[in-house]
Amino acid sequence: MGSKIKLLVCGESANAHSIAGYAASRGIFDVKAFVLDEEKAELWNQAMEESQFILRFKKDDGDTSELRSTLELTEFHARACVTTQDVIVLATPSSEHEKYLTAMQPYIPSGAVLVGMPSGPGFEFQCWDILKEKFFTCNIVSCDVAPWEGKIVEYGKIVEVLRSEKVVNGAIMNHCRPRKPPFLALQMLFGSKPSFKPSASFLEVTIMSDFLRTFYPVILHAVWRYYHSPLHVNPPLFHGISTDGASMAFSLSEELQGLARALAFLKKSFNKTAIINLHKWLILHYGDEIEDDTSTYSCLTTNAAFKDIMQPMCETGAGRFIPDYDTPYMTDDLVNGLCVIRGIADLANVPLPSVDDVIVWCQQKTGKEYLIRGKFRGKDIASTRAPQRYNITTFDGMFLTKNNVPHRDFTRGASAPN
C-alpha cells in the first residue's frame, strides 16, 4: 500500500485505547487519537510523554502478553487532526457518534474511509444526515462488533484486553475512490485475528451490529416486567434471567430473522442467512466462555463473561433496590437499537409484535413516545437513529445512493416525522 496509513481513532473508551494502541504497534500506521474532551486529551498526552502505551492481552492459560507502542499527540480540535487522515475510526459508543461526526464534518477529506467500530444500528442514516454532501465523497464502513473487549487500567497508559472477537463483519457504502482500500486497511489493523468479513448489504450489519446491546432492553423487559416491590439485593442481569425470559429474548431474535427474510425478498443483495438468532450469536461470540451452550437460557446464565453484570438498580435509603429506568440500557440502547430496527421494518411493511411489546414497555417506564397505537410515529423518534428521524420515508430511500437519495435540504436540521 506504499506509505504508512494515516489513522485517526476517535474516543476515549477502552475500545478507542485498544484500537489506537494496537494499530500503533503494527508499524504500518501513523496513529492519532481524537478526544473531544480537552481535559481527557491532555491527560492522554501527559501519559504518552511519561511512558509508552501498553496493551495487555490475556492468554488462554491465564498469563498475559504485552504490546508497547507510541502514539502521536492526542487532539481535541478536529481541524488539527482530521484533514489529512486516510482512515477515521469511531471507537465511541453510538450515543456519542453525533457529536464526533458534527465536529469532524467540515474537515473530512475526499476519499477518507469512515468506520463505525462498532457502528450500531442507524449509523449510515446518521452519517448521511450529518456529513451532508461529504457523505458522497467518503466511504462509510459499518462493523458489527469491536475487535477487542477490554478495560482501562490506567488512562492513556495501560489497557487490558479481556477477550478478542474471531470475526468482525463489515459493510461499505463506497461512493468514491478511497484514499486506502477499506477492507485491506482494516485487516492490516487487526492482524491475523480477528478476520474481517465483508457483508453484502449494510442492512445485515445494521440488524446485527452491537447485537447484545440491542437486547439489553429485551432482557430488562424479561426480568423487570413482574417487578412490584423493592429487593433486598441487587440481582445479576443475565445470570438472573428466567427460562421464560430467555425464551422471550430468543423469540424476538427469531422475529428479526423473519424481517431478514422479508428484506431478502425486497432486496436481492441482502443475505438473509447473515441474521442469526440470539442462541447462535451467543455461541459464536462467547463460545469458549459458556459452560453450557444447549439453549439460550444456558448460554446467558453460564456465560463467564456475564457473571459480574448486575441489573441497573437504584439503592434506596433503606438498603433496598429498585429498577433504574433511566439506565442507558433503556435509553441509549433502545433508541440506537430496537427503534432503528423497528423503523426499518416499518418501511419494509413487516410487523414486529415482540419488538413492539418491548418498545411500548420501555416508553411507558421512561415517559417517551415512539409507538402510538402500533404506529411508529411518536414524537421521540427525533431522538433515535431510525430512518424516519431523517425524513427517509420509503424502503428504497434507505439505501442512500446518489440516484436514489431522499430529498433533503442540508441547510436545515433533521426533524421528527409528522
Side-chain angles (χ1 to χ4, degrees):
M1 296 178 71
S3 59
K4 285 188 175 182
I5 300 170
K6 296 183 182 299
L7 172 69
L8 183 68
V9 180
C10 304
E12 59 189 71
S13 64
N15 183 29
H17 276 67
S18 300
I19 293 171
Y22 191 78
S25 74
R26 300 280 291 154
I28 52 179
F29 294 91
D30 283 330
V31 184
K32 279 189 176 182
F34 175 38
V35 177
L36 280 172
D37 186 318
E38 182 177 353
E39 185 176 331
K40 289 292 185 66
E42 185 55 34
L43 185 62
W44 199 336
N45 283 332
Q46 290 175 1
M48 288 295 93
E49 291 173 1
E50 294 171 4
S51 64
Q52 284 188 303
F53 183 82
I54 299 174
L55 193 60
R56 292 176 181 161
F57 287 86
K58 293 187 70 173
K59 297 180 180 179
D60 293 337
D61 60 6
D63 200 2
T64 60
S65 62
E66 289 188 352
L67 282 177
R68 294 174 179 264
S69 59
T70 301
L71 277 67
E72 295 186 29
L73 284 177
T74 301
E75 300 285 356
F76 58 89
H77 285 307
R79 181 183 299 176
C81 60
V82 175
T83 55
T84 62
Q85 300 303 317
D86 299 317
V87 181
I88 301 169
V89 174
L90 282 164
T92 68
S94 55
S95 59
E96 296 184 8
H97 286 173
E98 183 171 1
K99 65 182 182 181
Y100 275 92
L101 289 169
T102 300
M104 293 190 295
Q105 191 274 340
Y107 312 110
I108 294 177
S110 178
V113 178
L114 181 62
V115 185
M117 192 178 290
S119 56
F123 178 66
E124 295 82 3
F125 308 136
Q126 188 174 58
C127 285
W128 172 71
D129 181 66
I130 294 174
L131 299 184
K132 302 177 171 58
E133 293 87 349
K134 288 196 173 184
F135 181 80
F136 295 107
T137 62
C138 64
N139 301 272
I140 310 297
V141 178
S142 307
C143 297
D144 64 339
V145 291
W148 307 286
E149 181 180 318
K151 65 178 181 180
I152 296 174
V153 178
E154 188 173 354
Y155 186 86
K157 289 186 177 182
I158 304 172
V159 167
E160 181 179 357
V161 175
L162 303 175
R163 55 185 303 274
S164 302
E165 293 289 347
K166 295 181 178 66
V167 177
V168 173
N169 295 289
I172 184 170
M173 283 190 164
N174 195 341
H175 298 300
C176 64
R177 182 176 181 179
R179 295 165 69 96
K180 299 293 181 180
F183 293 156
L184 178 58
L186 290 176
Q187 190 62 72
M188 291 173 71
L189 190 161
F190 298 155
S192 59
K193 181 183 178 180
S195 62
F196 188 86
K197 181 180 178 182
S199 298
S201 168
F202 82 92
L203 284 179
E204 297 166 19
V205 176
T206 288
I207 294 174
M208 298 303 299
S209 183
D210 228 357
F211 200 53
L212 186 61
R213 289 204 171 274
T214 296
F215 272 83
Y216 273 126
V218 182
I219 301 297
L220 287 181
H221 176 235
V223 298
W224 282 352
R225 69 192 190 282
Y226 297 132
Y227 168 81
H228 295 296
S229 58
L231 306 176
H232 292 282
V233 296
N234 188 353
L237 180 57
F238 296 103
H239 284 200
I241 196 170
S242 66
T243 54
D244 180 51
S247 295
M248 287 175 56
F250 176 78
S251 296
L252 188 142
S253 69
E254 288 201 313
E255 192 169 271
L256 299 186
Q257 288 186 292
L259 171 61
R261 290 190 290 271
L263 293 175
F265 178 79
L266 295 169
K267 197 74 173 178
K268 300 306 179 186
S269 62
F270 185 92
N271 177 17
K272 63 184 179 183
T273 64
I275 311 305
I276 59 178
N277 63 45
L278 182 59
H279 184 200
K280 291 181 179 178
W281 186 90
L282 288 166
I283 294 173
L284 178 65
H285 290 272
Y286 292 95
D288 296 339
E289 297 163 273
I290 297 173
E291 183 179 338
D292 178 1
D293 66 3
T294 55
S295 67
T296 304
Y297 172 74
S298 64
C299 284
L300 291 171
T301 56
T302 69
N303 188 337
F306 294 166
K307 66 182 177 63
D308 295 324
I309 302 178
M310 311 305 288
Q311 294 181 25
M313 309 286 278
C314 297
E315 187 172 359
T316 69
R320 302 292 183 89
F321 295 89
I322 60 175
D324 177 10
Y325 294 116
D326 289 328
T327 174
Y329 294 166
M330 290 184 62
T331 54
D332 296 350
D333 293 336
L334 183 70
V335 301
N336 297 314
L338 283 184
C339 281
V340 180
I341 294 171
R342 179 60 173 81
I344 291 169
D346 189 64
L347 297 182
N349 198 28
V350 177
L352 299 177
S354 297
V355 171
D356 284 3
D357 287 345
V358 175
I359 292 177
V360 168
W361 179 81
C362 287
Q363 70 183 27
Q364 289 172 346
K365 297 300 182 182
T366 58
K368 302 295 184 180
E369 183 184 76
Y370 310 107
L371 286 167
I372 301 176
R373 293 184 293 278
K375 302 294 184 181
F376 194 62
R377 59 176 62 167
K379 60 180 177 61
D380 290 304
I381 288 175
S383 67
T384 75
R385 297 205 299 186
Q388 289 81 353
R389 172 191 174 172
Y390 308 110
N391 295 329
I392 298 171
T393 58
T394 65
F395 179 79
D396 288 339
M398 286 194 295
F399 295 89
L400 303 173
T401 63
K402 284 186 177 180
N403 297 326
N404 191 34
V405 66
H407 174 71
R408 186 82 166 105
D409 180 359
F410 284 125
T411 65
R412 303 176 64 183
S415 59
N418 294 325

